[in-house]
Amino acid sequence: PSAGIAITEQPVSVSVPVGYSVTLRCRAEGRTALQYQWFSQHQSVCQQIPGATKPDLPITAQQTQLYTCRINDRNRTAVFSDWVKVEVHQCVARGLPPRLWRGEPVIVLNPTEQRLEVGKPLQLQCAAMGVPAPSYQWYWNGNLLEHQKKKNLWISSAKVSDAGTYLCCASNSHGEHWTNAVDVHIAEGAEAPAEHLQLCHSVFPVATGKIALLVGNNRYQHHPNLMAPVTDVFELSRLLEQLGFQVVSLLD
């Protein structure tokens, strides 16, 4: 909570076919009356959505975008909701989702069989629709792969022991759906230089307990009103949140 504003319901990401209607929800409580304003971001361009000033944001999905909601109180305190993604699938197999679809996971991209040499990168892809957006879990020869929890399974340098049968489970609060099982064949190739086989993985530790206070002044006593501070505070708070900061934003 920031200076009396507490978000009680965060919006959630969704993954839907093009043209599908969905509503993002945000709820907050405060000591004074609250105002809501939604923002969208597409290809690094962030903008305020005109007229989107209610806790619910109805969307007819046209393209994949990110969304956040800013909540203001009368004291000019502002907090931002989580960023959520509305992922839009342009090409969906005919008949999907069914007319009575209630948001349960529907697989729209299955992984394909792979044949590669030792040391080459292994990538398996899958995708599913769902409301809320599904989470993913990959399996190898029936065993859960602890760190493979994204749509794309990526192994930078395949070993002979990585061969086998892979499949992925997409799940959300409505249920789960499994991809097809596919075989990965890995052949002993010519020995590649060691530096090509060892790709460094950057590990960013998750920071805890970091708080940033951002103050944007629009109005100065001896200077015309400024327009940029609101946008600057918005952009900075987004970047700082991505770095693990808890952000408190104040205007004027």
Side-chain angles (χ1 to χ4, degrees):
S2 169
I5 300 178
I7 296 180
T8 56
E9 182 180 352
Q10 293 278 7
V12 296
S13 296
V14 300
S15 182
V16 296
V18 65
Y20 189 81
S21 294
V22 67
T23 299
L24 299 181
R25 290 168 52 88
C26 183
R27 296 289 187 275
E29 295 175 351
R31 295 180 190 145
T32 69
L34 299 179
Q35 294 177 314
Y36 293 79
Q37 176 62 60
W38 289 88
F39 294 79
S40 67
Q41 181 179 326
H42 178 62
Q43 294 177 345
S44 301
V45 177
C46 183
Q47 57 190 16
Q48 185 172 307
I49 304 172
T53 56
K54 295 181 179 175
D56 288 355
L57 177 67
I59 296 169
T60 300
Q62 296 299 334
Q63 60 188 1
T64 296
Q65 292 195 107
L66 299 174
Y67 293 86
T68 188
C69 186
R70 184 189 67 207
I71 303 104
N72 286 83
D73 66 11
R74 286 180 176 166
N75 300 323
R76 293 189 172 274
T77 302
V79 296
F80 288 92
S81 74
D82 293 344
W83 280 94
V84 294
K85 179 187 278 191
V86 174
E87 184 179 43
V88 180
H89 297 274
Q90 300 291 340
C91 300
V92 177
R94 265 180 310 177
L96 292 179
R99 221 172 325 145
L100 299 177
W101 187 50
R102 300 195 183 281
E104 66 275 10
V106 176
I107 302 293
V108 293
L109 176 65
N110 276 287
T112 56
E113 184 176 6
Q114 302 285 318
R115 294 178 182 274
L116 61 151
E117 292 180 1
V118 168
K120 299 291 186 185
L122 167 62
Q123 183 177 28
L124 296 172
Q125 295 179 300
C126 80
M129 298 187 301
V131 179
S135 54
Y136 296 88
Q137 178 61 64
W138 285 88
Y139 292 78
W140 166 80
N141 290 346
N143 299 305
L144 183 147
L145 294 171
E146 189 65 40
H147 301 296
Q148 299 288 358
K149 295 179 180 293
K150 296 182 178 177
K151 279 190 292 188
N152 296 344
L153 177 146
W154 171 259
I155 296 173
S156 59
S157 178
K159 304 184 294 289
V160 172
S161 58
D162 291 321
T165 303
Y166 289 78
L167 78 168
C168 187
C169 178
S171 61
N172 66 10
S173 52
H174 297 293
E176 61 184 32
H177 202 156
W178 295 76
T179 67
N180 297 337
V182 297
D183 292 326
V184 172
H185 309 272
I186 299 175
E188 293 270 17
E191 284 298 317
E195 65 265 24
H196 288 195
L197 297 179
Q198 296 172 345
L199 295 180
C200 295
H201 294 275
S202 298
V203 178
F204 297 99
V206 176
T208 57
K210 298 196 297 186
I211 300 176
L213 173 65
L214 298 179
V215 180
N217 280 333
N218 288 325
R219 296 173 176 83
Y220 286 88
Q221 191 173 352
H222 303 294
H223 194 283
N225 286 357
L226 304 176
M227 292 305 295
V230 177
T231 310
D232 292 346
V233 166
F234 178 81
E235 284 295 318
L236 275 172
S237 67
R238 182 173 65 88
L239 291 169
L240 287 167
E241 282 169 355
Q242 290 172 352
L243 293 172
F245 283 84
Q246 180 185 342
V247 179
V248 178
S249 303
L250 302 174
L251 300 178
D252 290 333

